[in-house]
Amino acid sequence: MGTFKIEGGIRLKGDITPQGAKNEALQILCAVLLTPEKVTINNIPDIIDVNKLITLLGNLGVKIQKNSPGSITFQADEVTISYIETEAFKKEGGSLRGSIMIVGPLLARFGKGYIPKPGGDKIGRRRLDTHFEGFINLGAKFRYNKEDHFYGVEAPDGLTGNNMLLDEASVTGTANIVMSAVLAKGVTTIYNAACEPYLQQLCKMLNSMGANITGVGSNLLTINGVEKLGGCTHRILPDMIEIGSWIGLAAMTRSEITIKNVGWDNLGVIPNVFRKLGITLERQGDDIFIPAHENGYEVKTDIDGSILTISDAPWPGFTPDLLSIILVVATQAKGDVLIHQKMFESRLFFVDKLIDMGAKIILCDPHRAVVIGHDFKSQLKATTMSSPDIRAGISLLIAALSAKGSSIIQNIEQIDRGYERIDERLRAIGANIVRI
C-alpha cells in the first residue's frame, strides 16, 4: 500500500496542465472494439484505471502500438472473443468499473458480451440495469449467474434498432447502448440519454468512424445502424474533474495558479459553482487563472438570503465527481454551505476525516452535509488518514496541502487510479509531497 507524506501550509505557484479525461478515455477505448481498422487515440491519461483497461484490450487480442506519451494506436482485427469466457477474464474484468463498457461493442460486433460484476469506487450502489435493459431492447438475450456474479448478453443473429426510454440518464449506460446500436439493423432512438461532454465525444468519434448518430449533446439520440465502422484519429478532452480539483487546491492553499488548456467550452457550470463559493476565476484564452485569495473567499447566499445549496445533477447540471472537492473547499470559506449528494449514498462518508482535521461539518444523512466555513481563522490540522475512493482521496490531499504540519495519506492507489503522476506535478508548483 502506497503512502503520501505531505507538509502542508505552503503557498503554491505556477502552471499546471490537466490530463486527458479519465471518464472519456474509458468509453473511447472500448469503442476500438467496433472496427477491425486502426484507431489512434491521443491525450490518453497515464492512470491505473485506464492502463488496466488497455491491458484488458490487449488480452482480448487488440493490437496496441504506443506512438508517444499519451498517444496509442489500437487495431481490433484479431479479437480473441473466447477470452471473455475464461477465469482470467472474470478476475481482470472484475477489478475495473470501466470494463462494463466492453459489453456493448462486443455484443454489436461479435454477437455476445460477458462481464463479471465490475469493481471501482465504493461510493454506494451503482446499478447496471440500464445497460442490460438497453441491450434487451435491441434484441439481446440476457443471462446472469448469481454464484459468480457473471453477466452475459447474446444476439447471434445481430441486433435490431428500437425506441427506448432510459430509466436513468446513466453516462456509461448510454455509452454502452450507443456502441451496441451503431451496428444494429434499423433505427434506434434513446430518450433520457446522458449528454455529458464525454458522451458527446464518443458520439463524434463514432460518427467519424462512419456511424450515423444525430441529436448529439441532447437527451434524445437517434442512431441509424450501419453495416461496419472504419478507423479514425481522436483526441480526448482535458479532464474537467482534475480542472475542478486544481481550482479547489488553489483556493484552499491561497495560491496563484494557472490551469492551462482547460477546454472552457466543455466546462459547463463548473466555473460558476466555484464562483458561488467566492472563488475568483479569470479566463485567459483557454486557461483559467486563479489569483492568491489573500483575504479568503466569501460564500454567495441565495437571493432570499438562505444558505447556499450545491447539489449534483445530470449534465448540464453539476457533476457529482466534484462535490467532494466543493465540500473540502467550503471548510475554509466565509459562510455556510449545504452539500447535497443525490446520486451515491456513501460518497460523503469521508467527512469524518475532515472533522478530525478540525473542519466544522454536520453530516445530516448519507446524502447531505452542512459545512460551516472557517474563513481561514482556524487552519486545518495535519493527521494520518486513508483514501477511500478517487474523489475523496484528492479532497483529502487538498486538505492536507492546506493544513498545518505533516499529514500522511495511505491507500494512495485510489488517487493514482484517477490522477496522473500527481505528486510530481504538485512538486513542480512548489508542494512538499513525497511518495513513500
Side-chain angles (χ1 to χ4, degrees):
M1 184 185 296
T3 299
F4 281 144
K5 182 178 180 182
I6 301 113
E7 190 68 34
I10 298 172
R11 298 285 183 98
L12 312 178
K13 187 171 184 177
D15 299 346
I16 194 160
T17 302
Q19 66 189 30
K22 167 184 176 283
N23 291 339
E24 179 187 341
L26 296 176
Q27 298 176 30
I28 295 298
L29 289 170
C30 293
V32 306
L33 291 165
L34 286 165
T35 178
E37 297 186 18
K38 291 182 178 182
V39 176
T40 298
I41 304 175
N42 298 315
N43 203 28
I44 300 174
D46 183 13
I47 55 178
I48 288 176
D49 276 12
V50 168
N51 292 335
K52 277 186 176 182
L53 183 55
I54 293 172
T55 300
L56 176 58
L57 292 172
N59 290 338
L60 273 167
V62 178
K63 296 169 185 170
I64 299 170
Q65 176 187 330
K66 295 186 178 181
N67 308 313
S68 59
S71 177
I72 302 177
T73 297
F74 301 86
Q75 187 168 17
D77 59 341
E78 295 180 349
V79 173
T80 310
I81 192 65
S82 59
Y83 180 70
I84 65 175
E85 300 182 51
T86 65
E87 289 300 319
F89 172 72
K90 289 181 181 180
K91 182 177 180 181
E92 188 177 16
S95 68
L96 174 66
R97 179 74 188 173
S99 63
I100 182 63
M101 285 181 289
I102 70 168
V103 177
L106 291 177
L107 176 65
R109 188 169 163 214
F110 300 101
K112 60 182 177 180
Y114 306 141
I115 197 70
K117 184 177 181 180
D121 289 331
K122 307 305 180 186
I123 56 177
R125 291 171 294 173
R126 306 180 74 179
R127 60 199 293 276
L128 300 175
D129 300 52
T130 304
H131 300 248
F132 290 106
E133 287 173 3
F135 300 145
I136 293 168
N137 281 331
L138 294 172
K141 292 183 178 179
F142 172 72
R143 59 188 178 89
Y144 175 52
N145 185 329
K146 290 185 178 180
E147 292 184 4
D148 53 8
H149 300 289
F150 200 60
Y151 302 83
V153 278
E154 297 173 350
D157 298 323
L159 300 171
T160 302
N162 200 351
N163 300 325
M164 62 185 83
L165 171 63
L166 303 189
D167 60 346
E168 63 176 349
S170 164
V171 179
T172 55
T174 303
N176 231 345
I177 297 167
V178 166
M179 287 189 283
S180 60
V182 289
L183 294 179
K185 299 170 186 174
V187 180
T188 299
T189 58
I190 307 172
Y191 194 36
N192 195 30
C195 49
E196 271 77 356
Y198 307 142
L199 199 283
Q200 295 177 39
Q201 285 283 97
L202 173 66
C203 292
K204 291 173 184 176
M205 172 183 167
L206 293 172
N207 280 343
S208 73
M209 295 167 70
N212 186 343
I213 307 170
T214 56
V216 178
S218 75
N219 67 349
L220 176 59
L221 297 175
T222 301
I223 304 162
N224 285 275
V226 298
E227 291 186 3
K228 63 179 181 178
L229 296 179
C232 73
T233 298
H234 178 83
R235 183 173 181 82
I236 293 172
L237 289 175
D239 195 313
M240 68 170 75
I241 313 304
E242 190 174 273
I243 292 164
S245 303
W246 302 143
I247 295 171
L249 171 68
M252 280 288 284
T253 57
R254 292 194 274 188
S255 301
E256 182 181 301
I257 293 176
T258 300
I259 310 171
K260 307 290 289 184
N261 304 321
V262 300
W264 263 93
D265 294 339
N266 296 294
L267 294 180
V269 300
I270 290 172
N272 284 338
V273 171
F274 280 100
R275 287 181 177 126
K276 286 182 180 180
L277 290 177
I279 297 168
T280 300
L281 306 176
E282 297 178 15
R283 181 170 185 169
Q284 298 181 348
D286 201 35
D287 302 341
I288 295 176
F289 173 70
I290 303 110
H293 287 69
E294 300 289 352
N295 299 317
Y297 42 93
E298 184 172 357
V299 175
K300 298 177 181 178
T301 60
D302 289 343
I303 292 173
D304 62 359
S306 59
I307 186 172
L308 174 67
T309 299
I310 297 178
S311 59
D312 56 343
W315 189 270
F318 191 65
T319 172
D321 282 346
L322 279 175
L323 274 188
S324 300
I325 306 293
I326 290 292
L327 190 148
V328 74
V329 172
T331 64
Q332 287 295 357
K334 182 179 181 181
D336 308 328
V337 182
L338 171 62
I339 305 294
H340 191 175
Q341 163 60 266
K342 300 173 185 174
M343 296 180 68
F344 302 110
E345 65 269 15
S346 302
R347 190 160 236 169
L348 296 182
F349 286 169
F350 78 100
V351 300
D352 60 330
K353 300 171 178 62
L354 295 175
I355 293 170
D356 287 345
M357 299 178 77
K360 295 178 181 177
I361 304 172
I362 302 168
L363 187 61
C364 308
D365 56 44
H367 292 277
R368 295 177 302 157
V370 175
V371 185
I372 303 164
H374 284 170
D375 191 21
F376 290 101
K377 292 186 170 74
S378 175
Q379 200 169 0
L380 296 180
K381 302 186 297 289
T383 187
T384 297
M385 47 198 160
S386 180
S387 171
D389 64 71
I390 299 175
R391 307 310 175 189
I394 191 68
S395 302
L396 295 175
L397 178 55
I398 291 171
L401 287 164
S402 73
K404 187 177 182 179
S406 297
S407 291
I408 298 291
I409 301 180
Q410 301 164 342
N411 195 28
I412 60 171
E413 288 79 7
Q414 289 287 353
I415 301 174
D416 288 335
R417 285 178 50 215
Y419 292 83
E420 179 179 326
R421 298 178 292 102
I422 190 166
D423 50 330
E424 296 176 31
R425 296 159 73 202
L426 287 173
R427 281 195 293 271
I429 57 173
N432 188 339
I433 177 171
V434 179
R435 183 184 294 265
I436 303 174

